[in-house]
Amino acid sequence: MKRYVNNENGLSLAELLAAIAISSFILVSIYGVFFSGLNAYKRIFIENQLRSEADYIVATIMNKLYEFAPDGIAMDQPTNAQIVFVNDKRKDIDSLGFVNEKPEPTQKLTITLQDGSIAVDGERLHSDRLKIVAEESEFSCTCSQQEEEEKKICRSGVVTIKLTVQDRYHDPGDLLHVKPFTLKTEFGF
């Protein structure tokens, strides 16, 4: 041990180059892990932001439906890109507490997939980052009680909203690209 302490020769060039090479290899590895971790963090942040914006859009749709209080769904729409809710009965409560339904002119609330977004009665629910993949998104209704054939109105059933979303700002070649993912919401009426 004393032999190295009292040695005044220092390091040779080969030892110095070996130390630099090993240090460089370790630093490049650490940088690669750090950089990939940072990109993974950013992708997760983008995905969470997309989920939040999609949840906000579905919550807005649910609020519009709550305000509209539909009596059913028009079943004469052959497309999965649109769903039409109808309100054609007025409910009154008489003095004895019974609910009386009276016909009234039909009102409609239309929800449509269009141009990478959702529109409620023509008003787009806009999001800067969120783009809806129309080819993979759909509205559907499973009807359990349908009215007579001439009206084609479903009075009871389950509505399914399937939205496939992606980020508008990052293309597939980008490091921060998030693959499109599907969110599904079901509710009964």
Side-chain angles (χ1 to χ4, degrees):
M1 186 79 168
K2 289 184 175 184
R3 184 173 68 165
Y4 292 110
V5 173
N6 294 330
N7 186 359
E8 296 179 8
N9 291 337
L11 296 174
S12 68
L13 183 60
E15 292 172 334
L16 182 62
L17 289 175
I20 290 173
I22 292 171
S23 298
S24 298
F25 179 72
I26 291 171
L27 288 175
V28 166
S29 298
I30 290 172
Y31 177 76
V33 168
F34 176 74
F35 188 70
S36 65
L38 188 62
N39 282 337
Y41 173 77
K42 288 179 182 177
R43 278 193 306 274
I44 289 170
F45 176 77
I46 291 169
E47 184 175 327
N48 286 337
Q49 191 173 14
L50 292 176
R51 286 182 192 276
S52 294
E53 289 182 14
D55 286 343
Y56 176 74
I57 287 174
V58 171
T60 302
I61 291 171
M62 297 302 287
N63 286 338
K64 298 262 185 192
L65 286 173
Y66 182 74
E67 290 172 14
F68 183 68
D71 294 323
I73 296 176
M75 297 301 290
D76 56 354
Q77 303 295 323
T79 178
N80 286 338
Q82 178 175 321
I83 190 163
V84 178
F85 293 90
V86 295
N87 194 347
D88 62 348
K89 294 182 180 178
R90 189 177 83 207
K91 295 178 175 101
D92 290 326
I93 299 176
D94 63 13
S95 61
L96 297 175
F98 293 106
V99 176
N100 298 321
E101 292 183 350
K102 298 178 183 177
E104 68 176 23
T106 302
Q107 299 172 343
K108 294 183 179 184
L109 178 75
T110 305
I111 302 172
T112 309
L113 290 167
Q114 63 182 29
D115 301 327
S117 65
I118 292 182
V120 178
D121 280 341
E123 177 188 340
R124 285 182 62 192
L125 302 178
H126 185 66
S127 170
D128 291 335
R129 181 174 291 275
L130 182 78
K131 179 181 179 188
I132 296 173
V133 182
E135 300 83 31
E136 298 176 26
S137 300
E138 68 179 5
F139 299 118
S140 61
C141 175
T142 305
C143 189
S144 62
Q145 180 184 358
Q146 187 167 347
E147 209 169 72
E148 62 272 359
E149 287 300 317
E150 69 237 14
K151 279 191 168 183
K152 292 188 178 179
I153 295 177
C154 178
R155 296 294 179 186
S156 178
V158 176
V159 173
T160 303
I161 300 174
K162 184 176 114 179
L163 299 177
T164 301
V165 298
Q166 69 181 24
D167 186 19
R168 287 185 193 273
Y169 299 129
H170 298 97
D171 295 327
D174 194 349
L175 286 175
L176 296 178
H177 174 69
V178 175
K179 293 180 182 176
F181 56 93
T182 302
L183 301 168
K184 187 177 178 181
T185 302
E186 293 183 329
F187 59 91
F189 65 97

